[in-house]
Amino acid sequence: MLFGLALPRLVKSIVILDSTAGRFRLQPIARSPRPIRGVAALRHHAFEVGSCYTDPRDLRTDRFRRLSLNSDEISRHVATTADLVGINIEPEWMPNVVRFFEIARGMAADVIGSGALTDAESAAVFTPRTTE
Amino acid sequence: MKGNVPASAAAIADAVRSGASSAVEVAEAALDAIAANDGAVGAFTTVTADRALRDARAIDLKRRNGEQVGPLAGVPYAVKDLFDIEGVVTVAGSKINQARPPAERDAILIERMTTAGAVLLGGVKMGEFAYDFTGENAHYGPSRNPLDASRMSGGSSGGSAAAVAAGFVPLSLGSDTNGSIRVPSSFCGLYGLKPTYGRLPRTRTFPFCDSLDHLGPFARNVADLALCYDALQGFDEGDAACVSRPAAAVSTELAKGLDGLRVAVAGGYFRRDAEPQALAAVDRAAHAAGAREEIDIPDVARARAAAFLITNAEGSALHLDNLRQRAADLDPDTRDRFRAGAMLPASWYIAAQRFRRKFEETMQKIFEEFDVILAPSTPMSAPLLGQKTMLLGGREVSLRPNIGIFTQPISFIGLPVAAVPVREAGQMPFGVQVIASPWREDLCLRVAAVVEAAGLSLPTPLAT
């Protein structure tokens, strides 16, 4: 189990307590994307996918662990959820479904790492209509 | 003119309006071309010959009576078979939908094409339920690329592109959720337009992913594309996503050229994994369009990832009953992606929708400084039919999900895009996306016209 404690930004590092190994270690924090101020900033702005995983917010909310299921755990999730929603998946097709789910999980890790879960208004998915 | 359809929609309409040609002659020529050559191309699923000749006769009668016949008078066209055609089953590339009753009324965009005088020749192939970038279809066979029949036409609007590139029709309509107009345009060397999300109503079309579905036209030149788009515009309350705003005619805007437009080229993500020829095509278009700067758009990979999640979740939810009851009738490639999508946690989907707003804000800041951005449509030219993998940045990856890596982030936030073909002698074409801010289709098409005028697109050879 990992626990994280963010130190002041000046330190630019994070203390990781690895309870299973029973030791502390220091790990650099990848800088979060800076606010965009004009296109000039964009030209020099290369935000690498994956830098989000050392964002303290991810450690606080335990997102990192949840997105790090192994293949067996994913297979169990897929089988359980398939039962729940009433979909029959033949054993021979399970590896393919798990493969596609793994791809989606990687995509979700990228998106959730943006902090969008808490910071942004959702795009509209419903538009009320007038009734006459 | 049997079997020889003029390449230009505008020329056909002029000839029909002036009486130099009749709509019936044009329709017969197009039907002959389809009968003679579609066996090798495989664009059409349904040819509505009786309807086409009836409509063509009606146009000729109106002209003889001195009535207005419309800006697309006598122009033959085809629609992706997710558009409802009265009396025809809307199969949407599937076996499952064959059990549906025939459509009782045309899709709203077909009605608008009819009002403009165009003549519908039928429905064309698509990837099953539009979940496709290849143009292959396990149930109906592939729509082949008319430039090289061993290659993919692209998807999911593969038949729409193949029908135009083969010379059967000068115009067609397709849909674009993640790139399904821009990818086939790129592979087949055509012009395509994916308008702003909410611009064209999707009423009476079969959906795929409501949050991301767009409709738009294909053509062999920019003027025809603009002519068709102008005929399609207008609000319709049948589509909850359609935005009520005045139509903005673009045909009259094309002659303005660049006229001070600030054009940039997308770098970073968009130049990392594309083939050198795809980047060369963008550079040639950029030179023609006077682009001076390269910009690195932040979070593009995340935008693509979020589009992937929304598509997977919404598409799967739409087909949940099919997954439960008709799984054996789904294309295996489609089925297992839908199955995986049915398992996604809701929080992932909501995070993707929220990121959509965030990425839109990022792009709005960029559009404060630039009017138009150029980017490759696809990382490669048309793959071979049956090809399963591709090289991306030196790594072998699955072909299907990666063809659209450059188109997905753009449609994710509904930006208007014109797809412009760039092609050198002896090469398959590459597409360039001309991207503008929401509701500025006029800018996309003005820049597309400038690139076209620079002579970067070899004329598409006709199959006839």
Side-chain angles (χ1 to χ4, degrees):
Chain A
M1 181 74 74
L2 293 176
F3 300 94
L5 173 64
L7 296 178
R9 297 287 288 182
L10 191 61
V11 179
K12 294 194 176 102
S13 62
I14 186 169
V15 178
I16 304 289
L17 169 60
D18 186 336
S19 64
T20 53
R23 62 175 183 272
F24 291 92
R25 56 194 161 88
L26 280 174
Q27 182 173 311
I29 296 176
R31 291 183 67 85
S32 297
R34 287 168 299 186
I36 298 159
R37 294 190 185 86
V39 171
L42 303 183
R43 291 182 198 113
H44 305 288
H45 182 77
F47 180 35
E48 292 300 323
V49 172
S51 61
C52 52
Y53 302 135
T54 51
D55 185 321
R57 287 174 301 184
D58 296 320
L59 295 173
R60 266 208 312 270
T61 56
D62 208 17
R63 284 180 206 140
F64 182 78
R65 186 181 67 78
R66 290 181 189 183
L67 291 170
S68 299
L69 301 174
N70 62 38
S71 291
D72 287 343
E73 289 171 316
I74 289 174
S75 296
R76 282 201 296 276
H77 167 80
V78 168
T80 304
T81 312
D83 278 348
L84 194 64
V85 298
I87 296 173
N88 179 48
I89 302 177
E90 302 85 340
E92 64 268 30
W93 292 110
M94 183 60 88
N96 214 27
V97 178
V98 169
R99 184 171 68 88
F100 285 124
F101 187 87
E102 292 237 33
I103 293 171
R105 184 190 58 149
M107 300 287 185
D110 275 355
V111 175
I112 290 170
S114 68
L117 267 176
T118 53
D119 294 350
E121 172 202 359
S122 178
V125 292
F126 174 75
T127 307
R129 299 189 201 188
T130 55
T131 52
E132 309 254 350
Chain B
M1 66 188 286
K2 279 189 180 292
N4 184 15
V5 187
S8 160
I12 291 172
D14 285 345
V16 170
R17 275 194 300 267
S18 70
S21 179
S22 74
V24 168
E25 282 179 314
V26 176
E28 286 177 341
L31 291 169
D32 285 350
I34 294 165
N37 298 305
D38 195 42
V41 178
F44 280 82
T45 49
T46 307
V47 178
T48 52
D50 289 345
R51 168 184 171 145
L53 293 172
R54 182 197 69 203
D55 289 353
R57 281 193 291 270
I59 289 164
D60 288 337
L61 181 62
K62 283 173 79 173
R63 190 197 67 80
R64 285 197 297 273
N65 290 341
E67 299 174 41
Q68 292 291 321
V69 288
L72 294 173
V75 175
Y77 75 104
V79 296
K80 187 174 183 173
D81 69 15
L82 55 70
F83 286 74
D84 281 0
I85 301 172
E86 184 183 352
V88 175
V89 175
T90 308
V91 293
S94 76
K95 179 180 176 184
I96 289 172
N97 275 19
Q98 288 173 356
R100 288 163 62 92
E104 294 180 355
R105 184 177 168 186
D106 287 342
I108 184 76
L109 293 192
I110 294 179
E111 290 181 348
R112 289 178 182 175
M113 290 290 280
T114 302
T115 301
V119 174
L120 179 67
L121 293 195
V124 286
K125 285 182 187 170
M126 58 180 281
E128 187 181 48
F129 291 130
Y131 208 175
D132 170 57
F133 282 129
T134 67
E136 295 180 327
N137 186 300
H139 311 298
Y140 302 98
S143 49
R144 296 175 179 276
N145 192 318
L147 303 180
D148 178 344
S150 69
R151 295 187 180 275
M152 295 176 178
S153 58
S156 61
S157 308
S160 304
V164 175
F168 301 147
V169 286
L171 296 174
S172 66
L173 304 184
S175 71
D176 187 317
T177 302
N178 284 296
S180 291
I181 288 175
R182 292 159 289 161
V183 168
S185 295
S186 177
F187 287 176
C188 293
L190 298 173
Y191 294 86
L193 179 66
K194 186 207 76 61
T196 309
Y197 179 76
R199 172 73 92 174
L200 298 184
R202 306 165 299 182
T203 313
R204 294 186 292 282
T205 60
F206 195 84
F208 170 27
C209 171
D210 192 56
S211 291
L212 301 172
D213 287 344
H214 306 67
L215 304 177
F218 291 84
R220 286 197 209 97
N221 61 68
V222 178
D224 282 358
L225 197 68
L227 197 62
C228 184
Y229 170 63
D230 283 345
L232 297 173
Q233 287 189 60
F235 174 70
D236 183 74
E237 63 183 8
D239 177 0
C242 188
V243 176
S244 178
R245 53 187 294 131
V250 295
S251 292
T252 50
E253 300 293 304
L254 299 182
K256 288 184 177 174
L258 294 176
D259 192 26
L261 290 182
R262 302 161 298 174
V263 182
V265 176
Y269 174 94
F270 288 99
R271 297 190 77 86
R272 208 167 293 146
D273 292 326
E275 286 182 3
Q277 299 98 315
L279 297 179
V282 175
D283 291 343
R284 293 179 70 201
H287 180 73
R292 296 278 186 270
E293 304 214 40
E294 182 176 307
I295 56 168
D296 193 355
I297 303 170
D299 286 350
V300 182
R302 284 200 173 112
R304 187 254 174 158
F308 183 101
L309 292 174
I310 292 170
T311 306
N312 201 207
E314 288 193 22
S316 300
L318 179 67
H319 292 291
L320 203 53
D321 280 344
N322 288 335
L323 290 170
R324 288 173 180 144
Q325 296 160 16
R326 303 284 305 272
D329 292 329
L330 285 161
D331 179 335
D333 274 323
T334 314
R335 178 181 59 206
D336 292 334
R337 284 185 293 161
F338 278 146
R339 279 171 164 166
M343 316 295 169
L344 302 190
S347 59
W348 293 4
Y349 172 81
I350 292 167
Q353 286 285 9
R354 285 186 167 163
F355 180 70
R356 200 177 182 191
R357 182 68 74 205
K358 196 169 181 178
F359 188 62
E360 182 195 40
E361 289 166 0
T362 298
M363 291 303 295
Q364 280 176 346
K365 288 185 172 65
I366 292 173
F367 283 119
E368 287 173 7
E369 299 200 30
F370 292 101
D371 300 300
V372 168
I373 301 168
L374 306 181
S377 294
T378 57
M380 84 296 267
S381 58
L384 292 168
L385 286 166
Q387 190 174 324
K388 297 295 182 190
T389 62
M390 60 187 273
L391 283 176
L392 197 64
R395 289 182 303 119
E396 189 172 26
V397 297
S398 292
L399 180 78
R400 276 178 172 261
N402 287 298
I403 293 175
I405 58 170
F406 296 146
T407 51
Q408 280 180 284
I410 308 304
S411 37
F412 174 54
I413 51 168
L415 299 176
V417 190
V420 176
V422 174
R423 185 175 174 217
E424 293 191 70
Q427 277 191 2
M428 291 297 286
F430 289 88
V432 176
Q433 296 185 87
V434 181
I435 306 158
S437 58
W439 316 112
R440 297 311 305 269
E441 288 84 357
D442 58 326
L443 302 187
C444 299
L445 291 169
R446 276 170 57 187
V447 171
V450 168
V451 175
E452 178 184 44
L456 303 185
S457 310
L458 288 177
T460 304
L462 305 184
T464 46

